[in-house]
């Protein structure tokens, strides 16, 4: 189109052209009569120039004002030929100007769309190979030569040279008229395309040859002509805008089609991650590695800040093209930072960083579920007693036509802490905002509510502190529709957009409308309302706002462009910084741990997990004999006191063997029914815990790593807490124990001797314990007093006197029953009083209990020795014998029950309980593996932290290098 325009212009040059003329249209009137002064028509540049990718598809043009042109007075002449020529020339120039302007606009649009169009070099395989080989079979040079040249094409156009000569003759005939130049260029904006800046496209050739003699007629018709011409020009521009919209839609559909084919995996190709996804992964790793955002994290991201309810979230939703955030009426909804990674994709979906679920943003049900999930995550991140949290929620949104960038939505800045909020909420929000904005490469998207007084803004002061020069700030004025209605002076809005009202500076200023305030509005309806508002807005018509400063679409394009410029300018510097950090950490590791592998916390946990499971399996390697010995010994220690005190001693007080056996049977039955099975299970469970603890805590020489001790202890405690013995074990055990205790048949001498030995060891152990108790009661004997210079206290002297008095009583009556009668207590007390010892009856009974126990145990030991040779009499049921060894039979029954119980418990342990414990340990380890806080608490130390830092820095550096490589390829 431009080439054709140039050819036309060359044909218009006549023989009288001036060499200094600057444009073909200027040359048309270069032959000037110097008798008249030259007309210099000055027109100001329009206040805004439309961008070809503006969303204002139906935005009306500003009508240009006709500027008065001062012409010298001449004699009035009116000819119909002149009028007809003026009309023809005007129409001709309008068509020519529209063609040239349309061609220029189309070319500019094409170039911009060409830059926005994706690199399709990866999709060459879609086009058949023969298309790329056409130049080998077809000579395109011959084809181009066969086409008509520029001169031949110029012949098809009218002869403008002759028209110029005719016009010169008409000029001499006319003595009066109106300025044709002003009629042609006055109502249109074509001079911006055809003429140089600040000068008119047409030069008057004779300034005094066209003065009107009929001013009243001119005034009546001039306005109508201007309106008609401007309407024609507006229709032409709207036509080109509709073409641009169609091209934009076709481009979007084509990109979606290509992305869908990639998504399906044509030819099973493995697609690379998108550039923005690679960058977002780096930011996610950094957020885990350096939550405080210190000087190491200077990677760009777009920080969305603003006062509460200023419309931050709504702006972000318009950029993401979906209502994805929770909303409320005036209350705080954003309680923690939300990082949103925007990228282009075939389907409009959203996904959390730590989840595989995709939310379809075209379905209202999925949108509601996404909003609920974001709200739940925010509330979980807020600790008890707090209102906001610094923990970041990471979300990615993909969809057709979405601009690629990373935004962080921060909690709204508040001026007052209301009821229900934590007292430090205001300070916490300020600290979170400053932590993000102090990043020198972060782009600050400052959101200001246009419907409230500018003096009430808090965020502008905060932004001006963090970015005083405004080198990375973009200012957004929201709710402009309400502002236009409520603000008395519209120029105040112009001052805000021009950066003259607030003290802060910014890279750019934008005005947007994010809906009518209805939470149920869809994104499409909001876009339509926004475009409709700005089409009819007086702010735009009067030049207070420029076309490229309005709508969220233009805002999104500007923010994305600024974001990627910042990324390209800073990412390599950040990669170098992490490379230096990695070198320092590797050097520190080599110096401190030269012979150890660099295992991070997760790798150490896996190693500890394997060791713990090996130790649990070691329980199955314990021999049955070891299990039974431990179980039998522990069970007897647990029940021996009950057997001696509640069964043996009461039965031994009886007068004959029949009564002894009856008493023993009754008490054994009661014991078996109520206590013994439960005690046995408790003993087995404690034994399992002890063995498990022994395997977990014992050191394995040089291979032992004390870094796992804390984790093993926690796993052991949690596994034991979760483990419960099989409830049916007690019932089966009760039957077995009852049957074992009912058996009184000692089959051979070996069993008899084993019972004697068991009884003797038990009685000796009890006697030793009793002697120790008595010694503590009466104090040291005379040897210790003389050799160790230890004396008795008053209570010990009293007990010693009481013991001596009671021993005299037992010597008199060795068959004394186990309990003292009241008169015997009185006798002992009076005897002691006669020797000057005051004693309490309770002390007498307490001392008697230990004295009698010692006497009974000594007597029982003597009887046990007599029964060593009593197996022969036992076989004859002690007929014709004064020796009775029923107590030996009792201990044999107890011993046999202990052996059978230990065997049963060992089988339960090895067959089921050890496996159940192993299962519990695995569950605990799986739970600990998912709980990162527990791993951090259990695996600590400089070695672990250094390995963690090394892993993170390496991962960040590698991903940054991969991102930089992909970024260079995209250029």
């Amino acid at each position: 189109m431009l080439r054709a325009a140039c050819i036309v212009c060359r044909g218009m040059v006549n023989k009288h052209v001036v060499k200094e003329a600057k444009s073909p249209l200027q040359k048309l009137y270069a032959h000037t009569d110097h008798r008249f002064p030259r007309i210099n028509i000055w027109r100001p540049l329009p206040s805004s120039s439309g961008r070809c990718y503006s969303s204002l598809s139906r935005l009306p043009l500003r009508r240009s004002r006709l500027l008065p042109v001062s012409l010298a007075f001449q004699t009035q002449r009116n000819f119909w030929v002149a009028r007809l020529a003026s009309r023809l020339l005007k129409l001709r120039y309008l068509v020519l100007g529209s063609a040239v302007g349309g061609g220029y606009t189309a070319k500019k649009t094409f170039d911009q769309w060409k830059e926005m169009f994706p690199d399709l070099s990866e999709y060459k395989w879609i086009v058949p190979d023969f298309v790329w080989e056409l130049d080998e079979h077809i000579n395109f040079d011959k084809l181009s030569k066969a086409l008509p040249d520029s001169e031949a094409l110029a012949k098809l156009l009218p002869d403008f040279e002759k028209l110029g000569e005719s016009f010169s003759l008409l000029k001499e005939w006319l003595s009066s008229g109106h300025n044709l130049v002003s009629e042609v260029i006055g109502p249109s904006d074509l001079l911006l395309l055809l003429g140089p800046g600040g000068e008119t496209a047409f030069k008057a050739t004779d300034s005094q040859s066209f003065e009107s003699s009929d001013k009243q007629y001119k005034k009546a018709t001039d306005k109508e002509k201007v309106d008609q011409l401007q309407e024609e020009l507006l229709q032409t521009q709207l036509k080109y805008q509709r073409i641009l919209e169609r091209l934009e839609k076709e481009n979007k559909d084509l990109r979606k089609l290509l992305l869908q084919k990639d998504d399906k995996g044509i030819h099973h190709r493995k697609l690379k991650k998108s550039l923005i996804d690679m960058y977002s992964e780096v930011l996610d790793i950094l957020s885990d590695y350096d939550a405080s955002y210190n000087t190491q994290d200077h990677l760009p991201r777009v920080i969305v800040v603003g006062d509460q309810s200023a419309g931050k979230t709504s702006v972000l939703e318009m950029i993401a093209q979906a209502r994805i955030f929770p909303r409320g009426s005036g209350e705080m909804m954003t309680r923690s930072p939300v990082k949103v990674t925007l990228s282009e994709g075939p389907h409009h979906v959203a996904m959390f960083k730590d989840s595989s679920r995709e939310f379809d943003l075209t379905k209202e049900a999925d949108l509601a579920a996404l909003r609920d999930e974001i709200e739940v995550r925010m509330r979980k991140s807020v600790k008890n007693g707090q209102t906001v949290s610094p923990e970041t929620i990471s979300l990615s949104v993909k969809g057709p036509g979405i601009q690629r960038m990373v935004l962080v939505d921060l909690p709204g800045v508040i001026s007052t802490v209301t009821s229900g909020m934590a007292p430090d909420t205001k300070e916490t929000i300020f600290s979170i905002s400053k932590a993000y904005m102090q990043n020198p490469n972060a782009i600050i998207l400052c959101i200001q509510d246009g419907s409230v007084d500018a003096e009430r803004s808090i965020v502008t002061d905060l932004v001006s502190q963090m970015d005083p020069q405004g080198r990375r700030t973009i200012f957004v004025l929201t709710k402009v529709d309400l502002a236009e209605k409520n603000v008395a002076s519209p120029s105040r809005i112009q001052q805000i957009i021009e950066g003259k009202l607030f003290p802060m500076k910014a890279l750019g200023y934008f005005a947007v409308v994010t809906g009518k305030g209805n939470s149920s509005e869809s994104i499409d309806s909001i876009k339509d309302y926004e475009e409709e508002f700005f089409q009819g807005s007086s702010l735009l018509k009067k030049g207070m706002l420029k076309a490229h400063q309005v709508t969220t679409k233009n805002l999104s394009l500007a923010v994305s462009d600024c974001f990627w410029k910042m990324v390209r300018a800073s990412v390599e510097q950040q990669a170098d910084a992490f490379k230096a950090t990695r070198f320092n950490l590797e050097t520190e590791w080599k110096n401190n741990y030269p012979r150890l592998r660099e295992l991070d916390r997760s790798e150490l946990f896996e190693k500890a997990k394997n060791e713990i499971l090996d130790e649990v399996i070691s329980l199955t390697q314990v021999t049955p004999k070891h299990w039974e010995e431990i179980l039998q010994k522990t069970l007897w220690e647990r029940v021996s006191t009950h057997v001696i005190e509640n069964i043996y001693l009461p039965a031994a007080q009886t007068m004959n063997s029949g009564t002894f056996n009856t008493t023993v049977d009754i008490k054994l039955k009661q014991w078996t029914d109520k206590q013994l099975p439960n005690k046995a299970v408790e003993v087995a469970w404690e034994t399992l815990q002890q063995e498990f603890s022994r395997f977990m805590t014992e050191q394995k020489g040089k291979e032992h790593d004390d870094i796992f001790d804390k984790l093993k202890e926690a796993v052991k405690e949690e596994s034991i807490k979760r483990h419960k013995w099989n409830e049916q074990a007690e019932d089966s055990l009760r039957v077995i124990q009852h049957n074992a205790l009912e058996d009184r048949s000692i089959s051979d001498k070996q069993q008899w001797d084993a019972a004697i030995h068991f009884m003797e060891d038990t009685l000796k152990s009890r006697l030793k314990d009793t002697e120790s108790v008595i010694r503590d009661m009466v104090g040291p004997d005379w040897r210790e007093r003389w050799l160790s210079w230890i004396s008795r206290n008053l209570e010990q002297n009293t007990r010693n006197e009481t013991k001596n008095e009671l021993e005299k009583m037992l010597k008199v009556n060795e068959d004394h029953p186990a309990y003292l009668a009241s008169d015997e207590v009185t006798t002992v007390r009076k005897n002691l009083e006669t020797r000057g010892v005051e004693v309490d009856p309770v002390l007498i009974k307490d001392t008697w209990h230990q004295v009698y126990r010692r006497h009974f145990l000594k007597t029982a030991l003597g009887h046990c020795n007599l029964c060593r040779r009593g197996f022969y009499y036992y076989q004859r049921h002690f007929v014709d014998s004064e020796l009775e060894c029923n107590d030996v039979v009792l201990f044999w029954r107890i011993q046999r029950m202990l052996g059978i119980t230990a065997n049963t418990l060992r089988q339960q342990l090895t067959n089921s309980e050890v496996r159940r414990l192993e299962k519990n340990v695995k569950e605990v380890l799986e739970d600990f593996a998912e709980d990162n806080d527990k791993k951090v608490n259990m695996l600590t130390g400089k070695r672990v932290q250094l390995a963690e830092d090394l892993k993170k820095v390496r991962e960040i550096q590698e991903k940054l290098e991969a991102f930089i490589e992909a970024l260079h390829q995209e250029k």
Side-chain angles (χ1 to χ4, degrees):
M1 182 71 74
L2 288 174
R3 185 178 180 183
C6 294
I7 295 172
V8 172
C9 293
R10 283 201 301 268
M12 297 172 59
V13 181
N14 59 16
K15 60 183 178 180
H16 302 289
V17 66
V18 180
K19 293 183 180 181
E20 289 80 11
K22 296 184 179 180
S23 69
L25 290 177
Q26 288 173 336
K27 295 175 183 179
L28 183 63
Y29 292 99
H31 183 66
T32 307
D33 192 346
H34 298 284
R35 294 174 299 173
F36 307 104
R38 181 183 295 254
I39 299 176
N40 290 320
I41 301 176
W42 177 85
R43 283 176 50 82
L45 289 174
S47 61
S48 64
S49 59
R51 295 174 59 174
C52 60
Y53 52 86
S54 172
S55 60
L56 298 175
S57 59
R58 298 181 294 277
L59 185 65
L61 292 173
R62 272 187 65 212
R63 296 192 175 186
S64 304
R65 296 181 180 179
L66 287 173
L67 297 179
V69 181
S70 177
L71 298 176
F73 176 80
Q74 271 205 345
T75 308
Q76 297 183 0
R77 295 179 183 178
N78 293 320
F79 294 95
W80 65 271
V81 177
R83 292 181 180 277
L84 179 60
S86 67
R87 301 300 190 275
L88 292 175
L89 286 175
K90 178 174 66 176
L91 181 62
R92 174 80 63 185
Y93 293 142
L94 282 175
V95 174
L96 177 61
S98 299
V100 174
Y104 176 80
T105 305
K107 181 179 182 302
K108 186 176 179 182
T109 302
F110 174 76
D111 292 340
Q112 290 186 356
W113 276 113
K114 184 177 179 181
E115 293 178 359
M116 295 170 61
F117 205 73
D119 186 7
L120 301 180
S121 59
E122 298 182 1
Y123 304 95
K124 286 185 177 181
W125 55 269
I126 299 178
V127 182
D129 295 337
F130 74 87
V131 176
W132 306 110
E133 300 174 358
L134 284 176
D135 57 345
E136 299 178 3
H137 305 288
I138 300 175
N139 193 338
F140 290 99
D141 294 335
K142 291 183 178 180
L143 283 176
S144 61
K145 292 178 180 180
L147 294 175
D149 55 4
S150 59
E151 296 180 358
L153 190 62
K155 292 178 180 181
L156 300 177
L157 299 174
D159 191 348
F160 291 98
E161 184 176 352
K162 293 181 179 180
L163 288 175
E165 293 177 357
S166 301
F167 184 75
S168 299
L169 294 175
L170 287 173
K171 175 188 64 175
E172 297 175 358
W173 297 342
L174 298 174
S175 60
S176 63
H178 56 276
N179 194 348
L180 298 177
V181 175
S182 64
E183 289 187 6
V184 175
I185 66 172
S188 68
D189 287 334
L190 294 178
L191 72 94
L192 294 176
L193 300 174
L194 302 179
E199 297 183 3
T200 59
F202 295 95
K203 301 292 184 179
T205 59
D206 198 345
S207 61
Q208 296 181 353
S209 62
F210 299 106
E211 288 191 0
S212 174
S213 63
D214 190 0
K215 295 183 179 180
Q216 293 181 351
Y217 177 78
K218 175 184 176 182
K219 292 179 180 179
T221 59
D222 194 36
K223 188 176 185 302
E224 297 177 357
K225 295 174 183 178
V226 170
D227 292 342
Q228 182 180 359
L229 292 174
Q230 188 166 2
E231 184 66 25
E232 292 176 359
L233 189 60
L234 178 61
Q235 294 298 328
T236 304
Q237 185 164 355
L238 290 177
K239 175 182 177 181
Y240 285 114
Q241 286 183 347
R242 284 193 291 269
I243 294 174
L244 291 177
E245 287 181 357
R246 180 173 57 82
L247 291 174
E248 182 180 356
K249 184 177 182 301
E250 291 176 357
N251 177 61
K252 183 177 179 180
D253 294 340
L254 179 59
R255 290 174 65 86
K256 181 177 179 180
L257 180 62
L258 293 174
L259 290 170
Q260 283 178 340
K261 289 182 178 180
D262 284 346
D263 191 49
K264 294 177 181 177
I266 302 177
H267 294 177
H268 303 285
R269 293 182 300 110
K270 184 178 180 181
L271 295 176
K272 297 180 179 179
K273 290 183 179 179
S274 67
L275 204 61
I276 191 65
D277 289 337
M278 296 171 66
Y279 186 75
S280 180
E281 284 185 1
V282 176
L283 294 182
D284 287 336
I285 299 171
L286 272 173
S287 65
D288 296 335
Y289 169 68
D290 186 15
S292 61
Y293 286 104
N294 61 20
T295 55
Q296 288 185 332
D297 181 14
H298 288 169
L299 289 176
R301 72 249 302 146
V302 181
I303 309 303
V304 186
V305 295
D307 298 331
Q308 184 178 345
S309 302
K312 296 186 297 78
T313 302
S314 299
V315 171
L316 207 158
E317 286 181 333
M318 291 294 291
I319 296 175
Q321 301 180 15
R323 308 299 296 268
I324 58 178
F325 289 101
R327 55 183 64 92
S329 55
E331 61 177 321
M332 179 181 292
M333 298 306 298
T334 306
R335 297 180 177 271
S336 64
V338 181
K339 182 176 77 69
V340 183
T341 303
L342 301 178
S343 60
E344 194 170 22
H347 308 291
H348 203 185
V349 296
M351 181 186 299
F352 290 100
K353 179 188 73 172
D354 55 354
S355 174
S356 60
R357 178 184 177 183
E358 278 191 350
F359 296 88
D360 189 349
L361 302 183
T362 60
K363 298 179 180 179
E364 188 58 37
D366 280 20
L367 277 172
L370 177 61
R371 290 192 291 264
D372 293 341
E373 180 66 20
I374 292 176
E375 187 172 4
V376 169
R377 287 174 179 256
M378 284 184 181
R379 296 190 181 278
K380 283 184 178 179
S381 66
V382 177
K383 298 179 181 179
N384 294 333
Q386 299 297 316
T387 306
V388 294
S389 168
E391 295 182 15
T392 304
I393 298 174
S394 184
L395 177 71
S396 63
V397 177
K398 297 183 179 181
I402 295 180
Q403 298 298 318
R404 303 177 302 168
M405 67 185 95
V406 177
L407 302 101
V408 181
D409 186 21
L410 299 181
V413 179
I414 60 175
S415 58
T416 305
V417 177
T418 60
S419 60
M421 292 184 178
D424 61 343
T425 300
K426 179 179 177 180
E427 290 75 14
T428 304
I429 293 175
F430 268 84
S431 64
I432 293 174
S433 301
K434 288 181 178 179
Y436 277 90
M437 288 191 292
Q438 71 183 5
N439 179 356
N441 295 323
I443 300 167
I444 303 173
L445 196 62
C446 179
I447 310 297
Q448 171 64 31
D449 189 349
S451 63
V452 300
D453 295 335
E455 290 76 11
R456 294 168 58 186
S457 175
I458 306 173
V459 70
T460 52
D461 293 336
L462 179 61
V463 172
S464 62
Q465 292 176 10
M466 305 308 296
D467 184 24
Q469 302 301 323
R471 295 175 180 175
R472 52 190 179 91
T473 300
I474 297 176
F475 182 86
V476 182
L477 186 67
T478 62
K479 305 178 184 179
V480 183
D481 53 340
L482 300 178
E484 188 180 29
K485 295 178 183 179
N486 300 333
V487 176
S489 176
S491 61
R492 191 173 176 85
I493 298 177
Q494 184 180 7
Q495 289 180 330
I496 295 175
I497 294 300
E498 291 177 353
K500 298 179 180 178
L501 188 63
F502 290 111
M504 60 169 289
K505 300 178 182 179
L507 284 173
Y509 297 83
F510 288 85
V512 298
V513 174
T514 55
K516 302 178 182 179
N518 186 0
S519 61
S520 61
E521 286 182 289
S522 64
I523 294 296
D524 292 335
S525 64
I526 296 175
K527 286 183 179 178
D528 294 340
Y529 173 71
E530 184 181 43
E531 292 185 4
E532 181 182 353
F533 165 76
F534 282 117
Q535 285 175 10
S537 174
S538 61
L539 299 173
L540 206 61
K541 291 180 178 178
K542 295 179 180 179
M544 296 181 182
L545 298 178
K546 298 179 182 179
H548 67 273
Q549 288 182 311
V550 298
T551 73
T552 51
K553 182 175 182 180
N554 289 338
L555 170 65
S556 176
L557 290 169
V559 174
S560 177
D561 182 63
C562 185
F563 170 76
W564 284 107
K565 286 181 180 178
M566 188 71 77
V567 168
R568 288 185 173 94
S570 61
V571 67
E572 292 189 1
Q573 182 181 0
Q574 294 301 304
D576 293 339
F578 280 105
K579 187 182 295 184
T581 304
R582 173 179 175 176
F583 175 78
N584 295 336
L585 293 175
E586 288 177 345
T587 303
E588 184 178 358
W589 181 274
K590 291 177 182 178
N591 293 333
N592 293 322
Y593 312 103
R595 297 184 180 181
L596 293 177
R597 287 192 303 132
E598 300 166 3
L599 299 179
D600 59 25
R601 187 171 279 110
S602 297
E603 292 170 336
L604 287 172
F605 182 83
E606 289 299 320
K607 183 178 178 181
K609 177 181 177 181
N610 294 330
E611 287 188 10
I612 293 171
L613 293 177
D614 290 342
E615 290 162 356
V616 174
I617 294 176
S618 299
L619 287 174
T620 60
Q621 308 301 320
V622 178
T623 61
K625 181 180 179 181
H626 180 73
W627 278 121
E628 292 182 12
E629 288 178 354
I630 296 176
L631 288 169
Q632 187 170 349
K633 178 181 178 182
T634 308
L635 181 59
W636 175 242
E637 290 175 355
R638 188 67 58 84
V639 302
S640 60
T641 302
H642 181 84
V643 170
I644 299 298
E645 300 293 335
N646 297 348
I647 299 177
Y648 179 50
L649 285 177
Q653 303 304 315
T654 58
M655 300 302 297
N656 53 59
S657 60
T659 307
F660 179 88
N661 292 331
T662 302
T663 305
V664 167
D665 291 341
I666 293 173
K667 291 187 177 295
L668 287 177
K669 180 69 168 57
Q670 294 174 350
W671 183 44
T672 306
D673 291 339
K674 296 179 180 180
Q675 300 179 10
L676 183 58
N678 182 263
K679 290 288 184 182
V681 170
E682 288 181 1
V683 167
W685 176 219
E686 291 177 3
T687 303
L688 179 60
Q689 293 181 40
Q690 293 172 2
E691 290 298 302
F692 180 49
S693 300
R694 180 172 65 86
F695 282 109
M696 291 281 285
T697 56
E698 71 177 353
Q699 298 184 3
K700 298 178 176 60
K702 295 182 179 180
E703 297 180 359
H704 178 73
D705 196 344
D706 56 0
I707 203 170
F708 299 143
D709 292 347
K710 195 173 181 180
L711 175 62
K712 289 182 178 181
E713 184 67 22
V715 171
K716 181 194 74 174
E717 293 178 357
E718 184 64 24
S719 301
I720 291 173
K721 186 187 299 183
R722 295 186 184 185
H723 185 80
K724 292 183 179 180
W725 203 273
N726 190 358
E727 296 179 355
Q728 299 178 353
E730 288 189 16
D731 298 333
S732 60
L733 194 59
R734 183 178 291 105
V735 176
I736 294 173
Q737 290 172 339
H738 183 71
N739 294 333
L741 290 172
E742 284 186 345
D743 188 8
R744 298 187 183 89
S745 303
I746 303 177
S747 58
D748 53 21
K749 183 68 167 59
Q750 185 177 0
Q751 293 183 6
W752 181 269
D753 292 340
I756 292 292
H757 182 69
F758 175 61
M759 179 179 175
E760 186 176 19
D761 290 344
T762 301
L763 294 177
K764 285 182 178 180
S765 175
R766 290 291 165 177
L767 180 59
K768 183 178 179 181
D769 294 339
T770 304
E771 292 282 2
S772 176
V773 172
I774 293 175
R775 179 186 175 282
D776 293 337
M777 289 172 62
V778 301
D781 56 9
W782 63 272
R783 290 181 181 179
E784 291 177 334
R785 291 198 302 272
W786 280 98
L787 297 176
S788 302
W789 292 85
I790 299 174
S791 60
R792 293 171 177 168
N793 56 32
L794 180 60
E795 182 181 358
Q796 289 176 341
N797 284 325
T798 304
R799 286 188 177 275
N800 183 57
E801 294 295 333
T802 305
K803 177 183 75 73
N804 294 334
E805 188 67 27
L806 293 173
E807 286 177 348
K808 294 177 182 178
M809 185 184 297
L810 282 175
K811 288 180 179 180
V812 174
N813 184 11
E814 293 184 355
D815 295 330
H816 195 284
Y819 302 99
L820 281 175
S822 299
D823 55 345
E824 292 177 327
V825 173
T826 303
T827 301
V828 171
R829 183 170 61 83
K830 289 182 178 181
N831 291 338
L832 292 173
E833 288 177 353
T834 57
R835 295 201 297 268
V837 179
E838 295 290 336
V839 64
D840 187 80
V842 176
L843 185 145
I844 296 173
K845 291 181 180 180
D846 187 29
T847 307
W848 165 256
H849 178 72
Q850 298 301 328
V851 171
Y852 180 80
R853 176 190 290 275
R854 183 175 65 177
H855 169 73
F856 172 80
L857 292 174
K858 288 181 177 180
T859 304
L861 275 173
H863 182 70
C864 181
N865 290 328
L866 293 175
C867 289
R868 289 182 182 277
R869 60 182 185 276
F871 180 69
Y872 171 75
Y873 299 103
Y874 166 77
Q875 290 179 326
R876 299 182 59 184
H877 303 287
F878 300 103
V879 177
D880 299 332
S881 174
E882 295 181 357
L883 183 63
E884 292 183 357
C885 297
N886 293 316
D887 48 356
V888 177
V889 177
L890 170 62
F891 277 92
W892 177 82
R893 294 166 68 182
I894 298 295
Q895 186 183 33
R896 185 169 180 272
M897 181 273 299
L898 292 174
I900 294 174
T901 301
N903 181 269
T904 304
L905 292 174
R906 189 265 306 167
Q907 293 180 13
Q908 292 180 359
L909 282 170
T910 56
N911 294 337
S912 62
E913 299 303 327
V914 172
R915 295 179 182 177
R916 292 176 64 235
L917 179 62
E918 181 181 359
K919 182 180 178 181
N920 289 337
V921 171
K922 289 181 179 178
E923 291 177 354
V924 171
L925 288 172
E926 290 176 358
D927 293 343
F928 281 12
E930 296 176 357
D931 191 343
N932 190 59
D933 293 338
K934 281 191 176 295
K935 288 195 291 186
V936 171
N937 294 330
M938 297 298 105
L939 297 172
T940 58
K942 180 181 178 181
R943 169 184 156 194
V944 181
Q945 192 59 46
L946 186 58
E948 281 288 306
D949 292 343
L950 259 174
K951 176 189 174 183
K952 292 292 184 183
V953 170
R954 280 179 182 150
E955 188 177 7
I956 292 169
Q957 183 198 350
E958 291 170 0
K959 289 188 178 294
L960 273 177
E961 290 177 351
F963 171 75
I964 292 171
E965 182 180 356
L967 190 65
H968 290 165
Q969 291 177 356
E970 189 181 68
K971 290 182 180 179

